Amino acid sequence: MNSTPRTRASSGAAAENGAGEQLDLMVLLPRLAQLGTAINRGDLVERAMEQAGSGLDRPAMNVLVQLRMADGPLRVGEIAHRMQVVGPHVTRQVNELERRRLVRRVVDPDDQRARLIEATAEGTASTERYLKAIFDSFNQALAGWSTEDRDTLGRLLGRFTDDLVTHLATLDAQNREPGRK
């Protein structure tokens, strides 16, 4: 007999809809950990970095990816927010990327005193090579999946991520309230 406690949870929407199925988190958690390991510690990122040919480390490439996803220049603070790191960390990365001529600082049109960070043509090309390598790996892994299954994965993964991030932000805000330890 398995004595491991089973944690069960269901979304509010599933409970409201009367869905009898509940998510077995003891099954989900190891799979999420395995996915995180495959993406973050596996060869996926390293191979993509090699194909990008820029000689950058992960944090520097992440700055370029954040600029690409924003599709325009960003302030250092916004890049840090998107990367979920502190500003000085991003400033160091931006300084190195600027030294390598992969990004440049431009005047913020909304505040002439402020500077935005934008990728140069070389920075954009490096980012595109990196993303192509990542996307090629994902596409190969999903080659046997139907379009419907791919769409469902994207929709549910997006929903799960949004809900989890919102939940964690709520907990963080509650922990910052005066009088809480």
Side-chain angles (χ1 to χ4, degrees), residues 23-37:
L23 176 63
D24 187 339
L25 296 178
M26 292 301 287
V27 172
L28 181 62
L29 189 60
R31 301 303 285 184
L32 289 172
Q34 185 180 16
L35 177 61
T37 299

Side-chain angles (χ1 to χ4, degrees), residues 80-136:
H81 174 75
R82 290 170 182 232
M83 290 175 61
Q84 300 178 9
V85 297
V86 295
H89 173 74
V90 172
T91 299
R92 283 190 300 275
Q93 297 302 324
V94 166
N95 288 342
E96 178 61 18
L97 289 167
E98 188 175 37
R99 187 187 69 72
R100 292 175 172 225
R101 294 187 170 98
L102 298 173
V103 301
R104 66 178 151 255
R105 297 170 197 268
V106 296
V107 174
D108 184 339
D110 298 327
D111 181 353
Q112 298 296 307
R113 300 167 296 169
R115 296 292 177 259
L116 300 174
I117 309 304
E118 74 175 2
T120 62
E122 186 178 341
T124 298
S126 179
T127 308
E128 293 301 323
R129 288 189 303 272
Y130 171 77
L131 291 174
K132 181 183 181 319
I134 295 286
F135 297 155
D136 285 350

